[in-house]
Amino acid sequence: MEQKGRNRKVYPSDLTDEQWAIVAPMIPPAKQNPRGGRPRAVDMREVFNTIFSLNRSGCQWDMLPHDLLPKSTVYDYFAQWRDDGTWAKIVKALRARTRVEAGREPTPSAACIDSQAVKTTEVGGPERGDDGGKKINGRKRHLWVETLGVLIAVLITSTGLDDGVAAPILLGHVQAHDFPRLVTIFADAKYHHHALDAWMAAQRAGWHLEVQTRPEGTKGFTPMEKRWVVERTNAWNGRPRRNRKDYERSVKSSTAMIQISNINLMPDKLDHCGRHAFHYRKNAA
């Protein structure tokens, strides 16, 4: 099977025509040289397809399939959009669209936060530490999602950083006026933290942190009502092989890879899941 207009096999991570129509308008325009110059000649859809393929397959930049674009062409776009916030802007736009198509308001009234410790490799940068409880030496992904499991923000830190300490940094990634309907943020007992409570009272007085504790007598992983959606998002993020470990040299690249995974999911899988898994939930945001 060949993709329309491209003489190559279609990869599962490729954008469909419908998905490309959504993403294409979000791409920053080419930088203009005041002395003139040739217009952008790179196929931007193939730039996205190449980055999505790397994210999904877990290959190295230097080992991209030969029928996709080479690292020399694609990496500069990845790094530029990582540094100028383009990946985050695309996540924001797709999140609103996903919610509207699922019959929701563009912004949520409830959300969930959680963290996930992942191992790093010898390539990893300095932001690494040891999580004594889980016996993992690596980095921690702090996730903030709305009630469909769609990403709001992500923070990458050392695994040694306490969740309650990291939470104000994570929640500070967005301003209260960007989420005018947000009231409740569900969290587990790790977020029962006095410094976090003080920050919420001073900086986000309109938001309420609802800490849910494990039912008495339960052992192991126990899904909790409403908060389980963030656990599912962690599972979604683990599907792309690039995320199985943290292979990135910088936390900025680690953050971008999580954002890219969610961008690749949202136009299709998150919307489908949102329409079916949450249709019956009366109290969802």
Side-chain angles (χ1 to χ4, degrees), residues 15 19 23 26 48 52 86-92 94 151 256-268 270:
L15 288 166
Q19 292 167 353
V23 173
M26 304 178 194
F48 272 83
F52 287 157
T86 295
W87 294 122
K89 292 175 184 176
I90 296 176
V91 168
K92 179 180 179 181
L94 287 178
L151 186 68
M257 283 297 172
I258 296 298
Q259 292 168 336
I260 289 166
S261 298
N262 283 263
I263 290 168
N264 197 208
L265 281 167
M266 269 191 281
D268 180 28
L270 292 186

Side-chain angles (χ1 to χ4, degrees), residues 202-217:
Q203 303 295 329
R204 299 292 188 271
W207 296 356
H208 167 65
L209 192 68
E210 184 173 317
V211 175
Q212 298 177 319
T213 58
R214 184 198 304 271
E216 188 176 351

Side-chain angles (χ1 to χ4, degrees), residues 96-118:
R97 187 183 184 105
T98 298
R99 287 185 57 82
V100 170
E101 290 185 356
R104 307 298 181 86
E105 294 291 330
T107 62
S109 63
C112 308
I113 56 174
D114 197 15
S115 68
Q116 179 187 44
V118 293

Side-chain angles (χ1 to χ4, degrees), residues 167-231:
I169 306 172
L170 175 66
L171 299 178
H173 278 1
V174 301
Q175 299 301 315
H177 60 74
D178 291 329
F179 290 84
R181 300 177 64 249
L182 185 61
V183 176
T184 305
I185 301 174
F186 298 102
D188 63 17
K190 295 178 294 185
Y191 294 91
H192 185 66
H193 194 279
H194 295 302
L196 173 57
D197 294 339
W199 182 88
M200 292 279 289
Q203 303 295 329
R204 299 292 188 271
W207 296 356
H208 167 65
L209 192 68
E210 184 173 317
V211 175
Q212 298 177 319
T213 58
R214 184 198 304 271
E216 188 176 351
T218 59
K219 295 182 179 180
F221 173 69
T222 305
M224 288 183 279
E225 185 180 6
K226 297 182 180 180
R227 206 189 64 79
W228 68 270
V229 294
V230 68
E231 302 286 357

Side-chain angles (χ1 to χ4, degrees), residues 148-161:
L148 293 178
V150 180
L151 186 68
I152 294 176
V154 57
L155 172 69
I156 309 294
T157 70
S158 160
T159 53
L161 187 65

